[in-house]
Amino acid sequence: MIPFNDYHMHTPLCGHASGEPAEYARQAVAKGLREIGFSDHAPFVHMVDPGVTMSTDQLPEYYEMIEAVRDRYRKELIVKIAIEADFIPGYEDKTRAILEDYPYDYVIGSVHFIKDWGFDDPSQREKWNDHDVNAVYRDYYELLRQSARTGMFNIIAHSDLVKKFGHRPTADMSAEVDRTAQVFKEAGVAVEINTSGWRKTCQEQYPALNCLEIYAAHGIPLTFGSDAHRPEDVGADFERAVQLARDAGFQEYVLFKDRQIERVIRL
Ligand code: ZN
Ligand code: FE
Ligand code: FE
Ligand code: ZN
């Protein structure tokens, strides 16, 4: 069994993804998915990097491009329009302003930066050598909690992305994850099983099974996302993701529309 939907995928507007949105939609139909949501990287608020996100000027193009695919595939596939926005402390107002420009179905919140360090950016990978891995994990979980508390996000992305290059903590992080789950519950955010980790050095979905068990125990809503940056990755490893969700104790997952949970589906 595969899930109804894939809620995390990109477009060439971010500068590091390939394929047209229609190709992502075609792949979704071929895989048997019933719904997809595009969630390309929102314009950075703290700097400009055309290789990572679209510019503010490109937001109308983004929205219209996805609307066009939604209309074209209306008979075969439900297409939601979403966006993945970075949480950058101190820039909440600017981020909120960007997110309010269009009526997204949901917003995915991501932590890709600890202070100025893009810890998952391959070009900044050597900076891991200057950091204590346990401290990076603790800083990361603190940022995840802060991001949820802003109320700007519906889904928190890849919630242990710090492991991307295979850096694993030597200390037990379960208390950090438990505190994070409590904040997610209070804030009403969902988490995703993001299958892109299986395509990275860490060779594991985001987040790890022990984290998923904690989120399931706290009753955090769940979504599924491939984080596809090319059409062939849409719905990648989704059978495995469903099995994992069940193993972690989840009994359902959710769909979003107009920035609210639209529907709950049993696993
Ligand atoms: Zn990306
Ligand atoms: Fe991301
Ligand atoms: Fe993404
Ligand atoms: Zn992502």
Side-chain angles (χ1 to χ4, degrees):
M1 181 209 153
I2 61 161
F4 191 81
N5 63 315
D6 181 345
Y7 261 11
H8 194 151
M9 61 192 69
H10 291 271
T11 82
L13 287 182
C14 68
H16 61 276
S18 61
E20 293 308 310
E23 297 174 71
Y24 289 65
R26 265 203 298 281
Q27 171 72 358
V29 171
K31 282 242 165 180
L33 293 164
R34 307 288 303 282
E35 175 172 324
I36 58 172
F38 286 91
S39 56
D40 207 2
H41 299 285
F44 273 154
V45 288
H46 61 307
M47 61 164 159
V48 173
D49 189 337
V52 186
T53 76
M54 67 182 93
S55 68
T56 313
D57 297 347
Q58 289 174 303
L59 275 167
E61 183 184 347
Y62 174 62
Y63 202 87
E64 285 158 24
M65 182 170 79
I66 309 306
E67 274 185 318
V69 177
R70 185 183 65 189
D71 294 345
R72 183 170 153 194
Y73 281 84
R74 192 171 291 270
K75 294 213 174 78
E76 298 151 89
L77 188 68
I78 300 161
V79 176
K80 298 278 173 69
I81 311 183
I83 199 154
E84 174 180 5
D86 278 83
F87 172 61
I88 308 291
Y91 290 84
E92 289 86 347
D93 290 347
K94 205 173 162 188
T95 305
R96 204 171 266 116
I98 286 175
L99 299 177
E100 281 169 5
D101 270 350
Y102 288 94
Y104 298 108
D105 287 303
Y106 56 93
V107 175
I108 300 183
S110 290
V111 174
H112 299 109
F113 292 91
I114 295 174
K115 299 200 176 81
D116 292 337
W117 178 35
F119 59 81
D120 78 318
D121 177 350
S123 73
Q124 300 183 51
R125 186 174 173 165
E126 71 287 355
K127 288 192 189 162
W128 274 94
N129 299 327
D130 311 330
H131 287 84
D132 174 73
V133 173
N134 293 329
V136 173
Y137 271 73
R138 289 192 188 99
D139 289 348
Y140 173 78
Y141 282 115
E142 176 54 31
L143 287 165
L144 277 191
R145 292 189 288 268
Q146 287 180 29
S147 73
R149 285 192 197 105
T150 64
M152 293 191 285
F153 307 121
N154 302 107
I155 301 167
I156 302 298
H158 40 58
S159 56
D160 61 358
L161 181 64
V162 274
K163 74 184 176 194
K164 178 175 173 179
F165 299 128
H167 301 88
R168 301 286 183 165
T170 52
D172 179 9
M173 290 294 150
S174 52
E176 287 286 339
V177 179
D178 199 273
R179 284 177 58 205
T180 303
Q182 288 174 40
V183 171
F184 285 3
K185 185 72 190 173
E186 286 159 23
V189 295
V191 292
E192 59 169 10
I193 293 182
N194 182 312
T195 65
S196 72
W198 278 316
R199 287 167 256 140
K200 300 287 160 41
T201 311
C202 60
Q203 289 286 301
E204 183 181 68
Q205 82 292 332
Y206 307 112
L209 177 60
N210 66 305
C211 304
L212 289 169
E213 287 169 347
I214 292 170
Y215 294 137
H218 283 80
I220 309 299
L222 177 70
T223 67
F224 292 96
S226 64
D227 214 341
H229 283 69
R230 41 179 211 170
E232 56 265 48
D233 288 335
V234 172
D237 297 306
F238 266 29
E239 298 86 353
R240 199 175 164 189
V242 165
Q243 191 52 53
L244 193 73
R246 289 177 176 145
D247 292 346
F250 285 101
Q251 293 175 347
E252 55 195 38
Y253 60 103
V254 297
L255 304 182
F256 280 91
K257 186 186 169 86
D258 298 333
R259 305 211 50 183
Q260 297 199 330
I261 291 177
E262 175 192 24
R263 192 175 145 196
V264 176
I265 302 179
R266 281 198 70 81
L267 269 168

